Amino acid sequence: MGELTVVGKSVKRLDALEKVTGRTIYCTDEKLPGMLFAKAVRSPYPHARILSIDASRAERLAGVKAVATGKDVRRRAGAFLRDQHIIATERVRFVGDIVAAVAAASLETAEEAAGLIDVEYEQLPAVMDVEEAIKKQPPAVLHPELATYDRIAAMPYTSSDLGPNVFRHFKVRNGDMVKGFAQADVVVSNRYSTARIQHCQMEPHASIARVEPDGSCTVWTGKGLWGVRRFVCWALDLPPSKVRVIGHNVGGSFGGKVSGLAESIALLLAQKARRPVRIVLSRDEMFVGASTRIPMVVYIKDGVTRDGRLVARQMEVLLAGGAYADHAASVVRNCAFGASGTYSIPNFMLDSYAVYVNQPLGGPFRGYGASQVVWAIEQQMDILAEEIGIDPEEIRRRNLLKEGGHSVMGELVHSIGAEECLDKVARGIGWQSKATPVIADGPWRRAKGIAIGNKYSWAPATASAVVKVLEDGTIEVLTSADEVGQGARTVLSQIAAEEFQVDVQHIKWVIADTGVTPYDDGAISSRQTFNTGNAIRLACQDAKRQLFEAAAVRLEVSPRDLKTANGRVFVEGSPDRGISVESLFATSARVETRLLEGAGILGKGIWRTTGIPEDPETGQSEKLCSFYTHGATAVDVAVNVETGEVKVERIYSAFDTGRAVNPRLVEAQIEGGVGMGIGASIYEEMLFDEGHPTNTSFMDYKIPTITEIPSTENVVPAIVEAYHKEGPYEAKGLGEAVLVPVSPAIANAVYNAIGVRIKDLPITREKILAGLRAPAEGS
């Protein structure tokens, strides 16, 4: 590959000025003529039968234009398993389940009307604990009709031999477990768990819907346009040709804005009121009515030889999916990639179970299951190292997958920079061996911790793009890719600019719109740089082919001899022999040799990454993912043995990005992941009292502030360019991976500092103090 002029450069974000000056418009800022405001009525019980709903008082309230209940919902919807009515019909299954919705002339009126809807319930037994819910005779069965629900092709049926709340079981089998454990010198078993946490985006979920005069519908939302369109069409029984979804700037997503539920409620009310309707979730509703990171219980049994070789690993993973399957039906499979993508293990067995519990939905969250599984694995690696007396860094190094090898799920390993990432963070943090705690400032104990991990990008995946060459030489890119704050427009514009050898300021971006821009899976699974970037490259190459064919006539050369740069087309090797793109559109040129205005150059590109379905009994496949991103994190922590406080003082994180299209944006992703990882490690946990959430505001739900994040000079990102042969300019995605190794690195450092092993997230002060007291209490 020749020298690159735009790709690989830290180009300033194209939306930086509008963001920092507050001029960016979000869905919550939009107002349409005659727009109404929506409010949902939510269940106060974790599990109950709906006996009756009386909306008459709300309907009589001045300003109320529409009321919707379960009677207005045609069928169940869902991302993978269609098990949820967008408005509950016969029973509610968690505190926050929607039982009715109101549209009114003002938000205050909508809120008042919601309070006037009378719902009579009969409470039913509920189950919150996944280890209770998975039993064959659980305290409560959430979906007695589970066997009758529609499933999409990627969602296989679950054996009826499992408990009635299990909606999916995924298996991996590789090698001989009996033989593997027989070869082990040391066998270690442990149980780990993670908490249910919220995404905590600055912008809450928001959507606007309008019914057009011809009966078609327009929906405005933030991200995942084609997925939202698919969900809305199914939930409201609408033909795709009747629904147009227009994108918007997004004030953070992290996986939490992909369901289509809010959009469906807004459109249902708009259909009834025949006026535009806007729905914006309150912060309280974000906790009870939006998706969450799925809590997991992970049982892990490892066999290792005295020289540090893993010979067997057996895992059982229980996902507390929530009241409806949502994306937990997919995470239960994909979390296995987090367990398979880092280490070479000859004998491996995994069983993961997605289980209904009477709590809010468990859905996509940055990491999509990898973080929870790696939380267990990376603590286990430190425990194994201590058991056999070798260094934690060394045991990881001895068991890493290598380029050209095969994972425990049968995938060929490519573009793996895990070892170099481990080297970078170990050197950066000053790792020499497991550090002896340093006593400083009285009660504080300091130590280092290290962890590695991976995040996959699943296949199949599809992205498409259209590239127009405009009359003045500007390159217009049409794609349905999401800009959720990660800098996608800048990175993708750099790819287009590199193809045409122009400055990124000459790239024009068209807002995503299913009525205008072609299909894209969206900002899921860290895939946009890889997939959309490839689609844009193909579209640019198609546009250049057309451009060269038109210019070749004027220059009297073969199109194969032409290049383009800085708005000109010229003969390769003879840059003076050329013509400006603008001239190709010039009206002074002969009609047969000029491009007709508005109909000249239109390049198209479609990129598909295919996968090979795994064997349902073994989980084996030659290709399950588009790519893997690997990384490592090392931390310095201080633990106060009197108060239990944990402070992360320094953190080094390194990730293999393929070629970094924009190095500064890569570093920013890593820095953001550090902050999010510290929150998930030390502070964040949704608390419940018999199914009732008790900390549904930022007053009560703890997230780190700027004072809990290390200073800028103490957060050190590093880039490892493990080029990917299929990526655009050998690049691949990053965004989710940065979160994965943070929590276990902190937990390992805490153990090294005070000798207390915290196996259940978050690492709270109470757990620290209880762990410190435990030896004394047992003596």
PDB file of all heavy atoms in Angstrom, residues 560-594:
ATOM      1  N   ARG A 560      -7.774   3.541 -17.787  1.00  0.00           N
ATOM      2  CA  ARG A 560      -6.829   2.866 -16.875  1.00  0.00           C
ATOM      3  C   ARG A 560      -5.598   3.718 -16.596  1.00  0.00           C
ATOM      4  O   ARG A 560      -4.872   3.456 -15.629  1.00  0.00           O
ATOM      5  CB  ARG A 560      -6.409   1.527 -17.468  1.00  0.00           C
ATOM      6  CG  ARG A 560      -7.526   0.498 -17.553  1.00  0.00           C
ATOM      7  CD  ARG A 560      -6.965  -0.879 -17.914  1.00  0.00           C
ATOM      8  NE  ARG A 560      -6.298  -0.856 -19.215  1.00  0.00           N
ATOM      9  CZ  ARG A 560      -6.908  -1.058 -20.375  1.00  0.00           C
ATOM     10  NH1 ARG A 560      -8.211  -1.312 -20.405  1.00  0.00           N
ATOM     11  NH2 ARG A 560      -6.224  -1.033 -21.520  1.00  0.00           N
ATOM     12  N   ASP A 561      -5.352   4.731 -17.426  1.00  0.00           N
ATOM     13  CA  ASP A 561      -4.156   5.560 -17.269  1.00  0.00           C
ATOM     14  C   ASP A 561      -4.410   6.780 -16.384  1.00  0.00           C
ATOM     15  O   ASP A 561      -3.491   7.602 -16.213  1.00  0.00           O
ATOM     16  CB  ASP A 561      -3.661   6.039 -18.649  1.00  0.00           C
ATOM     17  CG  ASP A 561      -3.238   4.883 -19.531  1.00  0.00           C
ATOM     18  OD1 ASP A 561      -2.789   3.867 -18.980  1.00  0.00           O
ATOM     19  OD2 ASP A 561      -3.385   5.003 -20.763  1.00  0.00           O
ATOM     20  N   LEU A 562      -5.600   6.910 -15.821  1.00  0.00           N
ATOM     21  CA  LEU A 562      -5.957   8.144 -15.124  1.00  0.00           C
ATOM     22  C   LEU A 562      -5.938   8.005 -13.610  1.00  0.00           C
ATOM     23  O   LEU A 562      -6.161   6.928 -13.054  1.00  0.00           O
ATOM     24  CB  LEU A 562      -7.338   8.610 -15.584  1.00  0.00           C
ATOM     25  CG  LEU A 562      -7.456   8.988 -17.057  1.00  0.00           C
ATOM     26  CD1 LEU A 562      -8.890   9.359 -17.402  1.00  0.00           C
ATOM     27  CD2 LEU A 562      -6.495  10.133 -17.400  1.00  0.00           C
ATOM     28  N   LYS A 563      -5.657   9.119 -12.964  1.00  0.00           N
ATOM     29  CA  LYS A 563      -5.711   9.269 -11.515  1.00  0.00           C
ATOM     30  C   LYS A 563      -6.481  10.533 -11.188  1.00  0.00           C
ATOM     31  O   LYS A 563      -6.728  11.372 -12.072  1.00  0.00           O
ATOM     32  CB  LYS A 563      -4.293   9.349 -10.919  1.00  0.00           C
ATOM     33  CG  LYS A 563      -3.445   8.102 -11.111  1.00  0.00           C
ATOM     34  CD  LYS A 563      -3.940   6.966 -10.226  1.00  0.00           C
ATOM     35  CE  LYS A 563      -3.054   5.760 -10.345  1.00  0.00           C
ATOM     36  NZ  LYS A 563      -3.532   4.620  -9.526  1.00  0.00           N
ATOM     37  N   THR A 564      -6.830  10.692  -9.908  1.00  0.00           N
ATOM     38  CA  THR A 564      -7.498  11.921  -9.492  1.00  0.00           C
ATOM     39  C   THR A 564      -6.917  12.398  -8.172  1.00  0.00           C
ATOM     40  O   THR A 564      -6.545  11.590  -7.312  1.00  0.00           O
ATOM     41  CB  THR A 564      -9.024  11.736  -9.366  1.00  0.00           C
ATOM     42  OG1 THR A 564      -9.631  12.997  -9.020  1.00  0.00           O
ATOM     43  CG2 THR A 564      -9.377  10.718  -8.295  1.00  0.00           C
ATOM     44  N   ALA A 565      -6.816  13.721  -8.036  1.00  0.00           N
ATOM     45  CA  ALA A 565      -6.369  14.348  -6.792  1.00  0.00           C
ATOM     46  C   ALA A 565      -6.710  15.825  -6.847  1.00  0.00           C
ATOM     47  O   ALA A 565      -6.685  16.446  -7.930  1.00  0.00           O
ATOM     48  CB  ALA A 565      -4.862  14.159  -6.584  1.00  0.00           C
ATOM     49  N   ASN A 566      -7.066  16.360  -5.696  1.00  0.00           N
ATOM     50  CA  ASN A 566      -7.317  17.806  -5.565  1.00  0.00           C
ATOM     51  C   ASN A 566      -8.310  18.331  -6.601  1.00  0.00           C
ATOM     52  O   ASN A 566      -8.156  19.431  -7.140  1.00  0.00           O
ATOM     53  CB  ASN A 566      -6.003  18.578  -5.659  1.00  0.00           C
ATOM     54  CG  ASN A 566      -5.022  18.142  -4.590  1.00  0.00           C
ATOM     55  OD1 ASN A 566      -5.399  17.976  -3.432  1.00  0.00           O
ATOM     56  ND2 ASN A 566      -3.764  17.938  -4.977  1.00  0.00           N
ATOM     57  N   GLY A 567      -9.333  17.540  -6.902  1.00  0.00           N
ATOM     58  CA  GLY A 567     -10.379  17.995  -7.807  1.00  0.00           C
ATOM     59  C   GLY A 567     -10.006  17.943  -9.275  1.00  0.00           C
ATOM     60  O   GLY A 567     -10.694  18.551 -10.104  1.00  0.00           O
ATOM     61  N   ARG A 568      -8.943  17.242  -9.627  1.00  0.00           N
ATOM     62  CA  ARG A 568      -8.527  17.112 -11.019  1.00  0.00           C
ATOM     63  C   ARG A 568      -8.385  15.648 -11.395  1.00  0.00           C
ATOM     64  O   ARG A 568      -8.090  14.796 -10.554  1.00  0.00           O
ATOM     65  CB  ARG A 568      -7.193  17.814 -11.268  1.00  0.00           C
ATOM     66  CG  ARG A 568      -7.224  19.316 -11.072  1.00  0.00           C
ATOM     67  CD  ARG A 568      -5.872  19.940 -11.414  1.00  0.00           C
ATOM     68  NE  ARG A 568      -5.643  19.977 -12.853  1.00  0.00           N
ATOM     69  CZ  ARG A 568      -4.770  19.214 -13.495  1.00  0.00           C
ATOM     70  NH1 ARG A 568      -4.039  18.306 -12.840  1.00  0.00           N
ATOM     71  NH2 ARG A 568      -4.612  19.323 -14.809  1.00  0.00           N
ATOM     72  N   VAL A 569      -8.578  15.364 -12.674  1.00  0.00           N
ATOM     73  CA  VAL A 569      -8.295  14.042 -13.246  1.00  0.00           C
ATOM     74  C   VAL A 569      -7.124  14.227 -14.193  1.00  0.00           C
ATOM     75  O   VAL A 569      -7.126  15.130 -15.037  1.00  0.00           O
ATOM     76  CB  VAL A 569      -9.518  13.484 -13.999  1.00  0.00           C
ATOM     77  CG1 VAL A 569      -9.178  12.128 -14.605  1.00  0.00           C
ATOM     78  CG2 VAL A 569     -10.705  13.367 -13.068  1.00  0.00           C
ATOM     79  N   PHE A 570      -6.106  13.366 -14.072  1.00  0.00           N
ATOM     80  CA  PHE A 570      -4.893  13.566 -14.875  1.00  0.00           C
ATOM     81  C   PHE A 570      -4.297  12.220 -15.253  1.00  0.00           C
ATOM     82  O   PHE A 570      -4.616  11.167 -14.675  1.00  0.00           O
ATOM     83  CB  PHE A 570      -3.878  14.409 -14.109  1.00  0.00           C
ATOM     84  CG  PHE A 570      -3.516  13.835 -12.758  1.00  0.00           C
ATOM     85  CD1 PHE A 570      -2.485  12.923 -12.606  1.00  0.00           C
ATOM     86  CD2 PHE A 570      -4.238  14.212 -11.625  1.00  0.00           C
ATOM     87  CE1 PHE A 570      -2.176  12.395 -11.375  1.00  0.00           C
ATOM     88  CE2 PHE A 570      -3.920  13.692 -10.382  1.00  0.00           C
ATOM     89  CZ  PHE A 570      -2.896  12.770 -10.252  1.00  0.00           C
ATOM     90  N   VAL A 571      -3.405  12.280 -16.222  1.00  0.00           N
ATOM     91  CA  VAL A 571      -2.723  11.079 -16.693  1.00  0.00           C
ATOM     92  C   VAL A 571      -1.634  10.731 -15.686  1.00  0.00           C
ATOM     93  O   VAL A 571      -0.812  11.576 -15.304  1.00  0.00           O
ATOM     94  CB  VAL A 571      -2.110  11.297 -18.084  1.00  0.00           C
ATOM     95  CG1 VAL A 571      -1.355  10.045 -18.533  1.00  0.00           C
ATOM     96  CG2 VAL A 571      -3.211  11.639 -19.092  1.00  0.00           C
ATOM     97  N   GLU A 572      -1.631   9.468 -15.250  1.00  0.00           N
ATOM     98  CA  GLU A 572      -0.633   9.029 -14.279  1.00  0.00           C
ATOM     99  C   GLU A 572       0.767   9.245 -14.836  1.00  0.00           C
ATOM    100  O   GLU A 572       1.072   8.844 -15.959  1.00  0.00           O
ATOM    101  CB  GLU A 572      -0.836   7.559 -13.942  1.00  0.00           C
ATOM    102  CG  GLU A 572       0.072   7.054 -12.835  1.00  0.00           C
ATOM    103  CD  GLU A 572      -0.219   5.624 -12.416  1.00  0.00           C
ATOM    104  OE1 GLU A 572      -0.994   4.938 -13.140  1.00  0.00           O
ATOM    105  OE2 GLU A 572       0.292   5.190 -11.365  1.00  0.00           O
ATOM    106  N   GLY A 573       1.587   9.893 -14.044  1.00  0.00           N
ATOM    107  CA  GLY A 573       2.947  10.192 -14.479  1.00  0.00           C
ATOM    108  C   GLY A 573       3.075  11.504 -15.216  1.00  0.00           C
ATOM    109  O   GLY A 573       4.184  12.002 -15.418  1.00  0.00           O
ATOM    110  N   SER A 574       1.934  12.080 -15.636  1.00  0.00           N
ATOM    111  CA  SER A 574       1.939  13.379 -16.331  1.00  0.00           C
ATOM    112  C   SER A 574       0.864  14.261 -15.714  1.00  0.00           C
ATOM    113  O   SER A 574      -0.202  14.504 -16.316  1.00  0.00           O
ATOM    114  CB  SER A 574       1.686  13.199 -17.832  1.00  0.00           C
ATOM    115  OG  SER A 574       2.650  12.349 -18.406  1.00  0.00           O
ATOM    116  N   PRO A 575       1.093  14.771 -14.511  1.00  0.00           N
ATOM    117  CA  PRO A 575       0.047  15.506 -13.801  1.00  0.00           C
ATOM    118  C   PRO A 575      -0.419  16.775 -14.514  1.00  0.00           C
ATOM    119  O   PRO A 575      -1.534  17.247 -14.274  1.00  0.00           O
ATOM    120  CB  PRO A 575       0.706  15.828 -12.454  1.00  0.00           C
ATOM    121  CG  PRO A 575       2.173  15.694 -12.678  1.00  0.00           C
ATOM    122  CD  PRO A 575       2.322  14.639 -13.722  1.00  0.00           C
ATOM    123  N   ASP A 576       0.427  17.331 -15.399  1.00  0.00           N
ATOM    124  CA  ASP A 576       0.002  18.537 -16.123  1.00  0.00           C
ATOM    125  C   ASP A 576      -1.014  18.221 -17.218  1.00  0.00           C
ATOM    126  O   ASP A 576      -1.697  19.116 -17.722  1.00  0.00           O
ATOM    127  CB  ASP A 576       1.214  19.236 -16.749  1.00  0.00           C
ATOM    128  CG  ASP A 576       2.145  19.801 -15.688  1.00  0.00           C
ATOM    129  OD1 ASP A 576       1.660  20.069 -14.570  1.00  0.00           O
ATOM    130  OD2 ASP A 576       3.347  19.939 -15.966  1.00  0.00           O
ATOM    131  N   ARG A 577      -1.066  16.970 -17.616  1.00  0.00           N
ATOM    132  CA  ARG A 577      -2.004  16.579 -18.667  1.00  0.00           C
ATOM    133  C   ARG A 577      -3.286  16.088 -17.999  1.00  0.00           C
ATOM    134  O   ARG A 577      -3.438  14.924 -17.660  1.00  0.00           O
ATOM    135  CB  ARG A 577      -1.399  15.482 -19.520  1.00  0.00           C
ATOM    136  CG  ARG A 577      -2.244  15.141 -20.744  1.00  0.00           C
ATOM    137  CD  ARG A 577      -1.595  14.006 -21.528  1.00  0.00           C
ATOM    138  NE  ARG A 577      -2.463  13.550 -22.594  1.00  0.00           N
ATOM    139  CZ  ARG A 577      -2.259  12.446 -23.295  1.00  0.00           C
ATOM    140  NH1 ARG A 577      -1.211  11.668 -23.018  1.00  0.00           N
ATOM    141  NH2 ARG A 577      -3.104  12.103 -24.246  1.00  0.00           N
ATOM    142  N   GLY A 578      -4.189  17.020 -17.740  1.00  0.00           N
ATOM    143  CA  GLY A 578      -5.390  16.679 -17.002  1.00  0.00           C
ATOM    144  C   GLY A 578      -6.492  17.692 -17.193  1.00  0.00           C
ATOM    145  O   GLY A 578      -6.385  18.615 -18.013  1.00  0.00           O
ATOM    146  N   ILE A 579      -7.539  17.508 -16.414  1.00  0.00           N
ATOM    147  CA  ILE A 579      -8.714  18.367 -16.511  1.00  0.00           C
ATOM    148  C   ILE A 579      -9.369  18.424 -15.155  1.00  0.00           C
ATOM    149  O   ILE A 579      -9.338  17.443 -14.397  1.00  0.00           O
ATOM    150  CB  ILE A 579      -9.697  17.813 -17.583  1.00  0.00           C
ATOM    151  CG1 ILE A 579     -10.864  18.782 -17.799  1.00  0.00           C
ATOM    152  CG2 ILE A 579     -10.198  16.418 -17.207  1.00  0.00           C
ATOM    153  CD1 ILE A 579     -11.766  18.374 -18.957  1.00  0.00           C
ATOM    154  N   SER A 580      -9.931  19.561 -14.807  1.00  0.00           N
ATOM    155  CA  SER A 580     -10.611  19.668 -13.520  1.00  0.00           C
ATOM    156  C   SER A 580     -11.950  18.935 -13.580  1.00  0.00           C
ATOM    157  O   SER A 580     -12.561  18.823 -14.649  1.00  0.00           O
ATOM    158  CB  SER A 580     -10.844  21.135 -13.154  1.00  0.00           C
ATOM    159  OG  SER A 580     -11.815  21.714 -14.001  1.00  0.00           O
ATOM    160  N   VAL A 581     -12.359  18.410 -12.443  1.00  0.00           N
ATOM    161  CA  VAL A 581     -13.664  17.751 -12.382  1.00  0.00           C
ATOM    162  C   VAL A 581     -14.752  18.742 -12.762  1.00  0.00           C
ATOM    163  O   VAL A 581     -15.709  18.403 -13.478  1.00  0.00           O
ATOM    164  CB  VAL A 581     -13.904  17.178 -10.969  1.00  0.00           C
ATOM    165  CG1 VAL A 581     -15.329  16.647 -10.839  1.00  0.00           C
ATOM    166  CG2 VAL A 581     -12.891  16.089 -10.651  1.00  0.00           C
ATOM    167  N   GLU A 582     -14.606  19.964 -12.333  1.00  0.00           N
ATOM    168  CA  GLU A 582     -15.609  20.988 -12.630  1.00  0.00           C
ATOM    169  C   GLU A 582     -15.770  21.168 -14.137  1.00  0.00           C
ATOM    170  O   GLU A 582     -16.878  21.371 -14.640  1.00  0.00           O
ATOM    171  CB  GLU A 582     -15.192  22.301 -11.972  1.00  0.00           C
ATOM    172  CG  GLU A 582     -16.266  23.366 -11.995  1.00  0.00           C
ATOM    173  CD  GLU A 582     -15.889  24.574 -11.159  1.00  0.00           C
ATOM    174  OE1 GLU A 582     -14.834  24.533 -10.482  1.00  0.00           O
ATOM    175  OE2 GLU A 582     -16.650  25.557 -11.175  1.00  0.00           O
ATOM    176  N   SER A 583     -14.657  21.041 -14.864  1.00  0.00           N
ATOM    177  CA  SER A 583     -14.711  21.220 -16.322  1.00  0.00           C
ATOM    178  C   SER A 583     -15.502  20.118 -17.000  1.00  0.00           C
ATOM    179  O   SER A 583     -16.075  20.319 -18.080  1.00  0.00           O
ATOM    180  CB  SER A 583     -13.288  21.254 -16.896  1.00  0.00           C
ATOM    181  OG  SER A 583     -12.586  22.364 -16.406  1.00  0.00           O
ATOM    182  N   LEU A 584     -15.512  18.938 -16.388  1.00  0.00           N
ATOM    183  CA  LEU A 584     -16.268  17.837 -16.978  1.00  0.00           C
ATOM    184  C   LEU A 584     -17.772  18.102 -16.963  1.00  0.00           C
ATOM    185  O   LEU A 584     -18.524  17.481 -17.711  1.00  0.00           O
ATOM    186  CB  LEU A 584     -15.972  16.535 -16.236  1.00  0.00           C
ATOM    187  CG  LEU A 584     -14.555  15.996 -16.408  1.00  0.00           C
ATOM    188  CD1 LEU A 584     -14.325  14.815 -15.476  1.00  0.00           C
ATOM    189  CD2 LEU A 584     -14.317  15.575 -17.856  1.00  0.00           C
ATOM    190  N   PHE A 585     -18.196  19.012 -16.075  1.00  0.00           N
ATOM    191  CA  PHE A 585     -19.608  19.382 -16.019  1.00  0.00           C
ATOM    192  C   PHE A 585     -19.884  20.661 -16.822  1.00  0.00           C
ATOM    193  O   PHE A 585     -21.019  21.108 -16.894  1.00  0.00           O
ATOM    194  CB  PHE A 585     -20.034  19.625 -14.567  1.00  0.00           C
ATOM    195  CG  PHE A 585     -20.139  18.375 -13.744  1.00  0.00           C
ATOM    196  CD1 PHE A 585     -19.049  17.882 -13.056  1.00  0.00           C
ATOM    197  CD2 PHE A 585     -21.345  17.693 -13.643  1.00  0.00           C
ATOM    198  CE1 PHE A 585     -19.140  16.734 -12.284  1.00  0.00           C
ATOM    199  CE2 PHE A 585     -21.445  16.552 -12.877  1.00  0.00           C
ATOM    200  CZ  PHE A 585     -20.341  16.062 -12.191  1.00  0.00           C
ATOM    201  N   ALA A 586     -18.831  21.298 -17.368  1.00  0.00           N
ATOM    202  CA  ALA A 586     -18.967  22.621 -17.970  1.00  0.00           C
ATOM    203  C   ALA A 586     -19.925  22.615 -19.151  1.00  0.00           C
ATOM    204  O   ALA A 586     -19.872  21.733 -20.010  1.00  0.00           O
ATOM    205  CB  ALA A 586     -17.599  23.136 -18.410  1.00  0.00           C
ATOM    206  N   THR A 587     -20.777  23.611 -19.202  1.00  0.00           N
ATOM    207  CA  THR A 587     -21.757  23.715 -20.295  1.00  0.00           C
ATOM    208  C   THR A 587     -21.082  24.060 -21.617  1.00  0.00           C
ATOM    209  O   THR A 587     -21.670  23.879 -22.680  1.00  0.00           O
ATOM    210  CB  THR A 587     -22.806  24.782 -19.969  1.00  0.00           C
ATOM    211  OG1 THR A 587     -22.135  26.028 -19.681  1.00  0.00           O
ATOM    212  CG2 THR A 587     -23.632  24.370 -18.764  1.00  0.00           C
ATOM    213  N   SER A 588     -19.850  24.556 -21.574  1.00  0.00           N
ATOM    214  CA  SER A 588     -19.161  24.903 -22.821  1.00  0.00           C
ATOM    215  C   SER A 588     -18.631  23.676 -23.555  1.00  0.00           C
ATOM    216  O   SER A 588     -18.308  23.738 -24.731  1.00  0.00           O
ATOM    217  CB  SER A 588     -17.993  25.859 -22.527  1.00  0.00           C
ATOM    218  OG  SER A 588     -17.084  25.244 -21.631  1.00  0.00           O
ATOM    219  N   ALA A 589     -18.523  22.580 -22.853  1.00  0.00           N
ATOM    220  CA  ALA A 589     -18.041  21.351 -23.486  1.00  0.00           C
ATOM    221  C   ALA A 589     -19.127  20.748 -24.370  1.00  0.00           C
ATOM    222  O   ALA A 589     -20.303  21.043 -24.215  1.00  0.00           O
ATOM    223  CB  ALA A 589     -17.630  20.342 -22.431  1.00  0.00           C
ATOM    224  N   ARG A 590     -18.696  19.917 -25.328  1.00  0.00           N
ATOM    225  CA  ARG A 590     -19.658  19.244 -26.173  1.00  0.00           C
ATOM    226  C   ARG A 590     -20.553  18.348 -25.315  1.00  0.00           C
ATOM    227  O   ARG A 590     -20.113  17.723 -24.351  1.00  0.00           O
ATOM    228  CB  ARG A 590     -18.951  18.386 -27.225  1.00  0.00           C
ATOM    229  CG  ARG A 590     -18.048  19.163 -28.157  1.00  0.00           C
ATOM    230  CD  ARG A 590     -17.654  18.321 -29.369  1.00  0.00           C
ATOM    231  NE  ARG A 590     -17.231  16.993 -29.038  1.00  0.00           N
ATOM    232  CZ  ARG A 590     -15.978  16.663 -28.698  1.00  0.00           C
ATOM    233  NH1 ARG A 590     -15.047  17.596 -28.611  1.00  0.00           N
ATOM    234  NH2 ARG A 590     -15.664  15.403 -28.423  1.00  0.00           N
ATOM    235  N   VAL A 591     -21.834  18.258 -25.678  1.00  0.00           N
ATOM    236  CA  VAL A 591     -22.789  17.490 -24.892  1.00  0.00           C
ATOM    237  C   VAL A 591     -22.336  16.053 -24.711  1.00  0.00           C
ATOM    238  O   VAL A 591     -22.430  15.484 -23.629  1.00  0.00           O
ATOM    239  CB  VAL A 591     -24.185  17.522 -25.556  1.00  0.00           C
ATOM    240  CG1 VAL A 591     -25.142  16.562 -24.847  1.00  0.00           C
ATOM    241  CG2 VAL A 591     -24.747  18.927 -25.558  1.00  0.00           C
ATOM    242  N   GLU A 592     -21.745  15.463 -25.756  1.00  0.00           N
ATOM    243  CA  GLU A 592     -21.383  14.056 -25.658  1.00  0.00           C
ATOM    244  C   GLU A 592     -20.141  13.838 -24.780  1.00  0.00           C
ATOM    245  O   GLU A 592     -19.806  12.717 -24.443  1.00  0.00           O
ATOM    246  CB  GLU A 592     -21.138  13.462 -27.055  1.00  0.00           C
ATOM    247  CG  GLU A 592     -19.963  14.045 -27.807  1.00  0.00           C
ATOM    248  CD  GLU A 592     -20.355  15.264 -28.638  1.00  0.00           C
ATOM    249  OE1 GLU A 592     -21.426  15.857 -28.339  1.00  0.00           O
ATOM    250  OE2 GLU A 592     -19.614  15.592 -29.572  1.00  0.00           O
ATOM    251  N   THR A 593     -19.418  14.897 -24.427  1.00  0.00           N
ATOM    252  CA  THR A 593     -18.215  14.725 -23.611  1.00  0.00           C
ATOM    253  C   THR A 593     -18.317  15.384 -22.251  1.00  0.00           C
ATOM    254  O   THR A 593     -17.351  15.408 -21.516  1.00  0.00           O
ATOM    255  CB  THR A 593     -16.993  15.309 -24.343  1.00  0.00           C
ATOM    256  OG1 THR A 593     -17.189  16.720 -24.526  1.00  0.00           O
ATOM    257  CG2 THR A 593     -16.770  14.604 -25.670  1.00  0.00           C
ATOM    258  N   ARG A 594     -19.456  15.952 -21.921  1.00  0.00           N
ATOM    259  CA  ARG A 594     -19.587  16.536 -20.581  1.00  0.00           C
ATOM    260  C   ARG A 594     -20.630  15.753 -19.784  1.00  0.00           C
ATOM    261  O   ARG A 594     -21.476  15.067 -20.336  1.00  0.00           O
ATOM    262  CB  ARG A 594     -19.980  18.009 -20.657  1.00  0.00           C
ATOM    263  CG  ARG A 594     -21.402  18.282 -21.134  1.00  0.00           C
ATOM    264  CD  ARG A 594     -21.669  19.782 -21.119  1.00  0.00           C
ATOM    265  NE  ARG A 594     -22.929  20.117 -21.745  1.00  0.00           N
ATOM    266  CZ  ARG A 594     -24.105  20.134 -21.110  1.00  0.00           C
ATOM    267  NH1 ARG A 594     -24.157  19.795 -19.841  1.00  0.00           N
ATOM    268  NH2 ARG A 594     -25.213  20.472 -21.740  1.00  0.00           N
TER     269      ARG A 594
END
